[in-house]
């Protein structure tokens, strides 16, 4: 396989000094050697900046960006802006990758003439600590699918996050000519997923688990907070709107709203309602959800009773009721 096409590996770096060397070493050990590694040090208060500079002097393929802290999306976007490669890959700085990840994803993408390739990822503990095997539950199979197939089918199956997270994938850089990750959001991948997948005529999938997703107490995905749930609820709302704008698919729009209502419900349960710091944001999202629910319902070719049974569980009813209460509070 030729290596005349460069892959830019973008690594946002923030407060991960314990894991950073292991992460960078796994990238530099790739069997596909035509890579550039863009370390975006996002104003980290620990030793991450010094470690990045140290590696920048050791390997000419490494480029280091030091910037004011702006969050994961800001760091990824800065890496995209600097990337010189024809292909992009994102690796979180507390994770690591298999030595043949770049090669396998590149070969699969080229063979399928795809816009994106994707592999499974393996959950691991603190660096190499063993965890329960998830191999038999990994959803990515060796196949070629379309972006629309993923959006309309696979995003409603189990373990949909394999399809929506930014890592574990190789992208053609032109997919990011306009698209960027949203600033200041948890679950920024959820906001960007539709924009990425709708551009894909083909997605090359391989069943190998080439990405190692490290689980530790500082991981964002392990942080249970109302803001996290509200961000994901907003992302689902925007995705529902996209299903209607791009595909006029009311079935998928309704199903995504159902997923988002769960997050609204859990956000509400995270804090005492009277002391809730995001109350106004919750109010606005509830109003938007209620409007979208009834808009989808009017176009859905099934009866009101059947639709409510299918898409609206007790949490949906709870949120619609809560929405009315918030509106009454605002009027009073």
């Amino acid at each position: 396989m030729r290596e005349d096409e460069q892959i830019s590996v973008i690594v946002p770096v923030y407060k991960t000094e314990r894991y950073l060397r292991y992460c960078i070493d796994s990238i530099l050990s790739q069997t596909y050697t035509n890579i550039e590694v863009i370390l975006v040090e996002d104003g980290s208060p620990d030793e991450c900046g010094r470690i990045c500079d140290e590696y920048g002097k050791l390997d000419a393929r490494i480029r280091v960006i030091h910037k004011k802290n702006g969050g994961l999306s800001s760091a990824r976007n800065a890496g995209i802006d600097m990337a010189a490669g024809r292909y992009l890959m994102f690796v979180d700085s507390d994770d690591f990758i298999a030595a043949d990840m770049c090669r396998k994803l590149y070969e699969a993408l080229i063979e399928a003439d795809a816009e994106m390739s994707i592999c499974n990822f393996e959950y691991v503990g603190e660096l190499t600590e063993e965890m329960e095997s998830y191999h038999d539950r990994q959803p990515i199979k060796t196949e070629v699918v379309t972006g629309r197939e993923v959006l309309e089918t696979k995003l409603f199956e189990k373990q949909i996050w394999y399809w929506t997270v930014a890592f574990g994938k190789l992208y053609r850089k032109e997919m990011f000519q306009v698209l960027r990750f949203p600033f200041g959001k948890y679950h920024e991948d959820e906001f960007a997923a539709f924009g990425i997948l709708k551009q894909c005529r083909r997605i090359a999938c391989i069943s190998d688990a080439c990405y190692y997703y490290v689980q530790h107490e500082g991981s964002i995905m392990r942080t249970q907070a109302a803001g996290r749930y509200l961000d994901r609820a907003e992302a689902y709302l925007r995705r529902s709107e996209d299903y209607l704008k791009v595909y006029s698919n009311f079935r998928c729009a309704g199903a995504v709203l159902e997923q988002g209502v769960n997050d609204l419900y859990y956000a509400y349960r995270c804090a005492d309602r009277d002391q809730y710091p995001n109350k106004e944001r919750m109010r606005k999202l509830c109003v938007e959800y209620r409007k979208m629910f009834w808009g989808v319902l009017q176009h859905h070719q099934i009866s009101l009773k059947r639709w409510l049974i299918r898409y609206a569980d007790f949490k949906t009813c709870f949120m619609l009721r809560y929405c009315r209460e918030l509106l009454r509070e605002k009027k009073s």
Side-chain angles (χ1 to χ4, degrees), residues 232-260:
R232 189 161 61 186
E234 183 182 346
Y236 284 145
L237 180 65
R238 303 305 166 221
R239 189 182 299 171
S240 180
E241 294 170 345
D242 287 334
Y243 275 116
L244 298 182
K245 291 177 183 178
V246 178
Y247 298 125
S248 298
N249 191 320
F250 293 93
R251 178 187 63 81
C252 287
V256 170
L257 288 175
E258 181 190 14
Q259 294 173 337

Side-chain angles (χ1 to χ4, degrees), residues 115-118 140 145-156 160-165 169 171 175-176 179 189-205 239 242-243 246-247:
E115 282 71 42
M116 181 175 81
S117 55
I118 176 175
I140 308 301
V145 297
T146 66
R148 184 164 184 172
E149 181 182 347
V150 174
L151 284 168
E152 296 187 334
T153 303
K154 295 186 180 296
L155 287 191
F156 300 99
I160 64 172
W161 52 89
Y162 279 75
W163 296 99
T164 58
V165 293
K169 301 173 177 67
Y171 309 86
M175 296 178 67
F176 291 88
L179 182 68
D189 303 345
E190 295 285 356
F191 285 89
F194 192 97
I196 292 172
L197 291 169
K198 75 176 182 180
Q199 297 183 64
C200 295
R201 296 174 299 109
R202 299 182 190 86
I203 300 172
C205 310
R239 189 182 299 171
D242 287 334
Y243 275 116
V246 178
Y247 298 125

Side-chain angles (χ1 to χ4, degrees), residues 244 249-255 293-304 306-308 310-311:
L244 298 182
N249 191 320
F250 293 93
R251 178 187 63 81
C252 287
F293 262 118
W294 294 116
V296 170
L297 177 60
Q298 290 174 0
H299 292 85
H300 218 283
Q301 300 302 309
I302 54 178
S303 68
L304 171 62
R306 183 180 173 190
W307 192 89
L308 286 175
R310 182 174 180 181
Y311 288 121

